[in-house]
Amino acid sequence: MTRLRTIHVLQGEQVVSRASDVQLVTVLGSCVAACIFDPFQFVGGMNHFLLPPSKDRQDIRHAPVAMERLINRILAAGALRSRLRAKLFGGARMLPGLPDIGLRNAEAALAFLRAERIICEASDLGRDRARRIRFWPTTGRVEVSYIDRVEPLISRERPIPLESTVELF
């Protein structure tokens, strides 16, 4: 039995693979991940973007740049544009009362796929819960699990020593 290799896709990244023993994994809140694949060439990839469109056309954190770069990498790995299929995830509204970045991210990804005439076979967008996505790029298989409770990085019940450093990103 072949051991499964897990590759974590972080914010602002994209990963493409032709290996049947690879699963791509990410965790999403208001961010969106596009899982795009060619089911006949057994190649696919996942991106993880944070922000809807902007005037900066080079920033990988924004939907259009992230989507275009992912598709270009999949095509360079041997996929045919006419056979690409997509599945979209994320876009949750994580903080009520603030602008709904998740909705804007989801709308941007859907609009991009429509403009590029790429079929979106499945999606799980919106709501108010974080998700963990597992994607097998050679088959297009996806598993979604919901994260019911996100633990804070810092407990408010204990004081933080002054010499401690906490990096939030």
Side-chain angles (χ1 to χ4, degrees):
M1 186 169 141
T2 304
R3 183 178 165 97
L4 193 61
R5 292 186 295 147
T6 300
I7 300 173
H8 294 273
V9 182
L10 303 176
Q11 292 177 343
E13 291 185 339
Q14 67 235 280
V15 176
V16 173
S17 180
R18 297 185 68 86
S20 62
D21 65 337
V22 165
Q23 73 172 340
L24 306 178
V25 176
T26 198
V27 175
L28 303 164
S30 61
C31 296
V32 167
C35 301
I36 300 178
F37 62 102
D38 179 334
F40 298 99
Q41 291 296 322
F42 306 105
V43 61
M46 175 195 283
N47 64 16
H48 181 151
F49 62 87
L50 293 78
L51 301 166
S54 82
K55 294 177 183 172
D56 183 353
R57 299 191 182 270
Q58 301 301 314
D59 192 338
I60 190 68
R61 297 174 303 163
H62 293 276
V65 178
M67 296 294 285
E68 190 66 40
R69 288 190 182 174
L70 176 61
I71 290 168
N72 287 341
R73 289 186 65 192
I74 294 169
L75 295 175
L80 294 178
R81 182 178 280 275
S82 63
R83 294 196 298 223
L84 291 180
R85 299 292 180 262
K87 297 178 181 183
L88 298 176
F89 304 93
R93 183 173 199 146
M94 299 302 293
L95 300 171
L98 293 178
D100 195 347
I101 298 295
L103 175 63
R104 291 179 54 213
N105 283 336
E107 289 172 344
L110 288 166
F112 185 92
L113 293 176
R114 278 192 301 274
E116 295 295 320
R117 296 189 175 125
I118 295 173
I119 294 169
C120 184
E121 290 186 339
S123 65
D124 183 24
L125 299 164
R127 301 190 206 181
D128 61 356
R129 296 171 65 194
R131 302 160 171 86
R132 177 175 288 110
I133 309 301
R134 296 182 190 282
F135 173 56
W136 286 261
T138 59
T139 66
R141 177 181 164 208
V142 176
E143 290 179 1
V144 178
S145 54
Y146 295 94
I147 301 170
D148 289 325
R149 186 170 172 220
V150 178
E151 294 294 326
L153 292 175
I154 302 168
S155 171
R156 295 181 189 263
E157 296 171 12
R158 289 182 298 164
I160 301 171
L162 292 177
E163 60 273 356
S164 293
T165 303
V166 176
E167 183 176 337
L168 302 175
F169 54 91

